[in-house]
Amino acid sequence: MNRGVTLDDLMLAGIALTAGLLAAFLLRMLLRWLGRHASRTKWSGDDVIVDTLRTVVPWAAIAGGAASAAAVLPLTRTVQHHVNQTLSVLLIFVVTLTAARVIAGLVRAVTQSRSGVAGSATIFVNITRVVVLAMGFLVMLQTLGISIAPLLTALGVGGLAVALALQDTLANLFAGIHILASKTVQPGDYIRLSSGEEGYVVDINWRQTTVRQLSNNLVVIPNGQLAKSNMINYTRPEQQLTVLVQVGVGYDSDLEHVEKVTMEVVAEVMTEITGAVPDHEPAIRFHTFGDSRIGFTVILGVGEFSDQYRIKHEFIKRLHKRYRAEGIRIPAPARTVALHQGATVIPQPRSGADLVIEHGGPDAL
């Protein structure tokens, strides 16, 4: 158009822009109302969608109003093209950020709602976000008239050099994906590595696995090292586990009475202490004629790995108190060394014979 801008053109442009702003305000109010209703549902995905649309929809309305205002103005074809192109790129940018936020939020919501999937693992969320942002960037370049075919070719050629330079990083990335896909380790599991590190898995991201020890210290383990290490997972296939407590009583004890008293203490601990498994069937197994005692093992059931310390603590206290009340003796290992003139007699445990070492006379002592 070659004519100048008139007052009517400015009024129409102002009306279009005002309409866009008003629509943005009304849509934001509507989405806020929908957000309050979405918060009452059990699924967290609708919260993510509504919260994200609250950002993109008002911007889309403003961009639409600006495009309408530019359309009614007598702009030249070149200026009109640049304005439309700028608004399109701005809208694509907002939509891309919003899509990345929505999809990443949905992935996080789905993984957290399913116990068989990586609950808080950020690796899937980060990969999803990067893919969406990359696609949006390519669309923006195409909108600006920049051909993306040479760019893709350059990325393909340069990707080989990058892969060689970042092979350790890529190894950790694919190791993390393999760990999560195989479901051998998931956030929340309690693991112990052959190298000695142990604790609860906090997160598995693109490079490393974070483990929180019982002392609340964080141990950072590269995914590649974790995939190659021998590991014990105390949470899978079941979170409940059994713990063994070693006990010993004197040879003069009535073993039937010892077993009955011990089972009563076990039943008391299993029903009264938090973290115990009341429906777990305890067991007592005598197994050793020791130096000064008969040894046996008490098998207890606990809800998860860290509960065993509290259960053992309470069980040992109550068992010791009950044995004292019942007169059941827990002997301590004892050895005596007797010196005689002409020989040193070192008695072995009560079940064995004394060892006599001759010295050849009192002068030798």
Side-chain angles (χ1 to χ4, degrees):
M1 296 183 182
N2 296 324
R3 67 182 181 86
V5 179
T6 64
L7 181 60
D8 292 338
D9 295 331
L10 293 177
M11 290 182 62
L12 290 175
I15 292 173
L17 188 59
T18 303
L21 294 174
L22 181 60
F25 175 76
L26 294 177
L27 288 172
R28 186 171 180 82
M29 296 298 294
L30 176 62
L31 290 171
R32 182 176 299 176
W33 177 80
L34 291 176
R36 289 196 296 267
H37 285 274
S39 61
R40 301 172 186 172
T41 61
K42 295 182 179 179
W43 186 48
S44 58
D46 53 359
D47 297 329
V48 175
I49 295 175
V50 174
D51 183 61
T52 308
L53 290 178
R54 192 184 302 173
T55 302
V56 65
V57 171
W59 279 104
I62 294 174
S68 301
V72 300
L73 291 174
L75 303 177
T76 62
R77 181 175 299 178
T78 303
V79 174
Q80 184 73 38
H81 173 72
H82 288 313
V83 171
N84 292 335
Q85 196 176 54
T86 303
L87 292 175
S88 299
V89 170
L90 177 62
L91 187 59
I92 292 173
F93 177 73
V94 174
V95 171
T96 300
L97 293 180
T98 304
R101 184 178 176 184
V102 169
I103 297 175
L106 291 177
V107 170
R108 183 182 291 108
V110 170
T111 55
Q112 289 178 349
S113 63
R114 300 180 61 183
S115 58
V117 189
S120 64
T122 59
I123 183 169
F124 291 134
V125 176
N126 291 336
I127 291 176
T128 302
R129 184 181 290 115
V130 169
V131 169
V132 174
L133 291 177
M135 293 177 62
F137 177 71
L138 294 177
V139 172
M140 282 191 293
L141 292 180
Q142 191 72 25
T143 304
L144 292 173
I146 302 174
S147 178
I148 63 175
L151 178 61
L152 294 177
T153 304
L155 289 177
V157 175
L160 179 61
V162 174
L164 293 175
L166 301 177
Q167 52 183 327
D168 291 339
T169 301
L170 293 177
N172 289 326
L173 172 62
F174 288 109
I177 295 176
H178 170 71
I179 290 171
L180 292 174
S182 62
K183 299 181 182 179
T184 55
V185 178
Q186 299 290 321
D189 292 355
Y190 192 95
I191 63 173
R192 175 183 294 165
L193 303 184
S194 57
S195 54
E197 295 89 353
E198 64 177 276
Y200 289 98
V201 178
V202 177
D203 189 26
I204 304 176
N205 58 31
W206 63 275
R207 181 183 178 275
Q208 62 203 17
T209 297
T210 305
V211 175
R212 177 176 58 83
Q213 297 178 320
L214 294 178
S215 59
N216 277 335
N217 296 323
L218 294 180
V219 179
V220 178
I221 306 170
N223 292 332
Q225 179 181 342
L226 181 65
K228 294 185 294 184
S229 299
N230 295 328
M231 176 182 58
I232 302 176
N233 192 332
Y234 290 96
T235 307
R236 299 180 184 275
E238 294 182 0
Q239 189 174 15
Q240 295 182 0
L241 67 154
T242 58
V243 295
L244 308 180
V245 180
Q246 303 298 328
V247 190
V249 295
Y251 278 91
D252 55 348
S253 302
D254 181 357
L255 297 187
E256 294 292 339
H257 182 59
V258 169
E259 184 175 6
K260 178 183 176 182
V261 170
T262 306
M263 290 294 290
E264 291 175 356
V265 175
V266 170
E268 178 183 329
V269 171
M270 289 293 101
T271 55
E272 295 181 5
I273 305 303
T274 303
V277 183
D279 56 350
H280 180 271
E281 184 177 354
I284 296 176
R285 298 292 183 265
F286 294 95
H287 54 73
T288 306
F289 287 102
D291 293 344
S292 58
R293 64 180 68 189
I294 297 177
F296 62 94
T297 300
V298 182
I299 304 175
L300 307 174
V302 298
E304 56 135 348
F305 185 85
S306 61
D307 292 332
Q308 63 176 307
Y309 302 106
R310 180 171 57 255
I311 302 301
K312 286 182 179 180
H313 170 76
E314 290 294 333
F315 173 70
I316 291 175
K317 284 200 311 181
R318 299 188 184 200
L319 186 65
H320 181 262
K321 181 179 180 180
R322 184 68 184 276
Y323 276 6
R324 292 185 63 183
E326 297 289 339
I328 299 175
R329 190 170 59 89
I330 305 176
R335 295 176 183 270
T336 58
V337 177
L339 297 179
H340 296 277
Q341 184 177 2
T344 301
V345 182
I346 305 178
Q348 295 302 297
R350 298 180 185 274
S351 57
D354 292 344
L355 174 65
V356 180
I357 301 177
E358 298 291 345
H359 289 283
D363 293 338
L365 297 177

